[in-house]
Every structure is written in C-alpha cells, then in structure tokens.
Amino acid sequence: MDEMKDIRWKQRFENFEKSFKLLEKYSKETISTELERAGIIQFFETTFELAWKVLKDYLEAEGYPAKSPRESIKQAFQIDIIEDGHLWMEALSKRNLTTHTYDQELAEQLVIEIQNKFLPLLIKLYDKLVKER
C-alpha cells in the first residue's frame, strides 16, 4: 500500500467515524418532528458521502481504481469490503434524491429506511474498516 494513500483513507475514516457515530446515536431516537427528520436525513447524507469516499480512498490504497460513488461501491462489493451491493446502490440513489428534493412524505419514508436498511449497511462498513485501521 502506498503510504500516502494509506494515510488518506485513514484520515477520511476519522471523519466518517464522527459522522457515523452521530447518525447511529440519533437514529435510535424516536423521530417525530420535521426538524428531527431533517437532522437524520442530513446526518445520512453526510455519512453516506464520507462512506463512499472512504471506500474510494481505501480501494485506491489497495491498488483498485475508483473515481465515482458507483465505481467505488461496485469495486468494494467485488472484493468483499461491503455486502449487498444492490442496497448500497439504493442508498446512493436515495442520498442523491434527498440532496435535490424535499417532500415531507418522502422524508418520513426515508427516515424509516435510514433506520432499518441503510444504517445497518454503514454499521457493517464501519466494523470492517475499524479493524483495518
């Protein structure tokens, strides 16, 4: 592993970890207000963005090229860093949707998906990468 690339993914992981811990903490709470929904969605957007970027940096350190979120997710799935590539792609799609659209019904549904589907993906990634540090 190139030492600079190795350091870069570890530094990015620290930022991912901070955001992930906040998302994990507040996702366990009952979310009932518009402000709480907006907060969880924002934590998800930030955490997911950092997740694919830490994947990208990790892959590059391992010698795999990955430039985009899709490429990073596909490559990470192929080499068993992540599981359930389809669900990761769904999370990417939802993250892209939330950054361009706001709708209360969509927000309520997304919070449920974050808590039940996407947070478990991020937990698995966190657990895997924390061992690699």
Side-chain angles (χ1 to χ4, degrees):
M1 229 189 258
D2 180 293
E3 188 173 334
M4 254 334 247
K5 289 181 179 180
D6 188 43
I7 291 169
R8 184 174 12 178
W9 89 259
K10 289 177 181 180
Q11 289 172 334
R12 178 107 57 193
F13 179 81
E14 289 177 19
N15 292 327
F16 164 73
E17 182 175 40
K18 290 173 192 169
S19 183
F20 165 76
K21 291 290 185 180
L22 290 170
L23 176 64
E24 183 179 42
K25 175 183 177 181
Y26 292 111
S27 290
K28 294 175 182 174
E29 304 286 323
T30 301
I31 310 300
S32 55
T33 69
E34 188 174 15
L35 181 60
E36 291 167 337
R37 280 190 296 277
I40 290 298
I41 291 168
Q42 182 62 53
F43 281 139
F44 168 70
E45 289 171 354
T46 302
T47 304
F48 192 85
E49 185 73 13
L50 290 166
W52 86 258
K53 287 182 177 180
V54 79
L55 281 173
K56 174 184 163 296
D57 291 343
Y58 180 86
L59 290 165
E60 287 176 351
E62 292 288 320
Y64 298 97
K67 300 291 180 212
S68 71
R70 287 190 182 284
E71 287 177 31
S72 299
I73 290 167
K74 286 179 182 178
Q75 187 63 51
F77 177 71
Q78 288 175 354
I79 64 170
D80 293 323
I81 296 172
I82 60 171
E83 300 171 14
D84 202 342
H86 291 293
L87 194 54
W88 272 89
M89 289 299 187
E90 182 182 340
L92 173 62
S93 177
K94 293 291 173 120
R95 194 268 309 178
N96 290 341
L97 182 63
T98 63
T99 59
H100 302 293
T101 307
Y102 183 81
D103 174 271
Q104 184 172 340
E105 193 174 308
L106 173 68
E108 290 170 359
Q109 181 59 40
L110 183 57
V111 167
I112 293 166
E113 290 178 321
I114 290 168
Q115 291 171 318
N116 298 324
K117 291 168 45 173
F118 305 142
L119 182 60
L121 288 179
L122 295 166
I123 289 170
K124 287 180 183 176
L125 175 63
Y126 175 80
D127 290 346
K128 179 118 179 157
L129 292 180
V130 81
K131 293 175 188 171
E132 298 285 328
R133 273 197 293 188

